[in-house]
Amino acid sequence: MLNKLKTMLNKSEHVNPFDWLKQKISNTNQKVVLFGSPGNLGDMLIVASTIQCLEQRGIDFSVGSERYYEANSGNDIYVIMGGGNYIPLYNSVRKMLDHIEKHAPNSEVVVLPSSSYGMEKHLQSLKLKITFFCRELETYKSVSSALSKSQVFLSHDAALYIDLQDRRFRAMRNMRKVLKGRAGDTLHAIREDREKTENFVVEERHNNIDISSLRTNRGSEVLSKHAIDIDSVFEDVNFMLMYLLPFEKIVSDRLHVCIGALLLGKKVDMYDNSYGKLSRVYRNSLKDRFDDLIELHL
């Protein structure tokens, strides 16, 4: 299956979702309404990068409130944060799409780079104009079977567009200066939830800390503004990156713990999660960029 997918697409066809969005609203003068997806500390890396990318391109946005549809100008485009929530295990993105269909039918919706499987029938049922960015080939194939291929794009996980030189990461950079490149020991950060890997047995000697769960679900619902409280988002990402800095190697089945560590130049033992998300993103985005730092365990 993987070989067939590779023949469908090549690396030159990755589309930057933020450049695409900038071009679209430049032509249509649409207003961006941004919805966060509830999640853990690692998901805040996606949110921070998304905010940066919108700001860098001069894309004004408002944060979707509980009664967003009452403020609809008739020219709104609803943008949903990327991630791994549009799968049968979770219901937050499905509920968000259902909510938009109910209160603002036929609206334009953009789903930023995400993983998805098993949601084809739901996508086909929606009376919405959806553009879907996929962060791996398998999701591209799944979503393309439900939507027109002109509405589906292969991209990279949004966290990979982040700029760590942003002034809001000053705390992390200051800690890096204090450490002066000193790093030691290994951090084991294996999940403790239903997505945890089947290929690593956590023992007491590992002192495992699932750091993504240390700060989780600032917004318990997609429509909660706390899911995109900008100051809190950058505070969370600083916390996570500073937590990773003193370690030489990270062992994890958390995609964004791995990505955060790679962005810091750490060695990473990457274990696949329960449904193959990490290995798929690795093949689509991480292999060429970070292959010398990653040891992948399937």
Side-chain angles (χ1 to χ4, degrees), residues 26-250:
S26 295
N27 294 334
T28 62
N29 293 316
Q30 288 172 286
K31 296 180 180 179
V32 172
V33 180
L34 186 64
F35 294 103
S37 182
N40 54 54
L41 190 57
D43 292 311
M44 294 302 104
L45 200 63
I46 294 175
V47 181
S49 181
T50 298
I51 291 168
Q52 279 185 336
C53 288
L54 296 176
E55 292 174 344
Q56 290 164 358
R57 289 160 179 79
I59 300 174
D60 293 329
F61 65 91
S62 60
V63 174
S65 65
E66 291 186 19
R67 304 187 73 81
Y68 61 93
Y69 47 89
E70 292 182 352
N72 191 329
S73 66
N75 201 31
D76 289 350
I77 182 168
Y78 299 121
V79 178
I80 299 176
M81 291 281 186
N85 282 318
Y86 194 46
I87 62 174
L89 284 174
Y90 306 113
N91 63 14
S92 59
V93 173
R94 177 181 57 76
K95 286 171 64 177
M96 182 72 252
L97 291 169
D98 289 343
H99 200 280
I100 294 173
E101 182 188 38
K102 178 179 179 180
H103 294 284
N106 300 311
S107 293
E108 285 202 62
V109 177
V110 176
V111 180
L112 293 176
S114 296
S115 296
S116 182
Y117 69 89
M119 303 302 293
E120 297 88 348
K121 289 184 179 179
H122 182 251
L123 272 175
Q124 290 172 332
S125 72
L126 294 168
K127 295 180 177 64
L128 296 169
K129 302 167 187 173
I130 298 174
T131 299
F132 201 110
F133 287 88
C134 309
R135 63 183 180 183
E136 11 88 359
L137 288 166
E138 290 80 0
T139 292
Y140 180 89
K141 182 181 180 183
S142 170
V143 175
S144 293
S145 71
L147 301 176
S148 165
K149 287 188 178 180
S150 64
Q151 300 168 263
V152 186
F153 298 99
L154 182 66
S155 187
H156 297 293
D157 184 276
L160 293 168
Y161 297 102
I162 202 165
D163 176 13
L164 294 184
Q165 297 307 308
D166 189 304
R167 60 179 175 77
R168 290 166 289 194
F169 294 129
R170 187 168 54 247
M172 178 274 295
R173 293 199 304 275
N174 286 342
M175 183 173 179
R176 202 171 197 173
K177 289 178 183 178
V178 170
L179 290 172
K180 296 179 180 179
R182 297 190 301 271
D185 297 331
T186 297
L187 172 66
H188 290 83
I190 300 294
R191 306 183 75 116
E192 297 173 341
D193 62 8
R194 53 189 167 177
E195 281 190 50
K196 66 182 178 181
T197 183
E198 298 177 354
N199 299 320
F200 187 92
V201 178
V202 175
E203 300 175 5
E204 186 174 350
R205 63 185 175 88
H206 292 134
N207 295 315
N208 187 68
I209 301 174
D210 185 8
I211 64 172
S212 281
S213 65
L214 295 181
R215 297 186 183 187
T216 187
N217 289 321
R218 281 192 178 275
S220 61
E221 294 292 338
V222 167
L223 293 178
S224 170
K225 283 195 173 186
H226 297 292
I228 326 178
D229 180 87
I230 294 178
D231 289 341
S232 297
V233 165
F234 284 90
E235 176 188 328
D236 280 353
V237 177
N238 267 298
F239 173 85
M240 184 177 78
L241 296 178
M242 291 168 71
Y243 203 107
L244 297 173
L245 271 174
F247 295 95
E248 182 177 5
K249 183 166 75 171
I250 312 299

Side-chain angles (χ1 to χ4, degrees), residues 266-283:
K266 305 294 182 182
K267 295 178 181 177
V268 172
D269 277 10
M270 177 185 285
Y271 284 82
D272 217 352
N273 75 325
S274 62
Y275 67 90
K277 173 174 65 181
L278 279 77
S279 61
R280 294 171 182 178
V281 172
Y282 168 81
R283 289 193 293 266

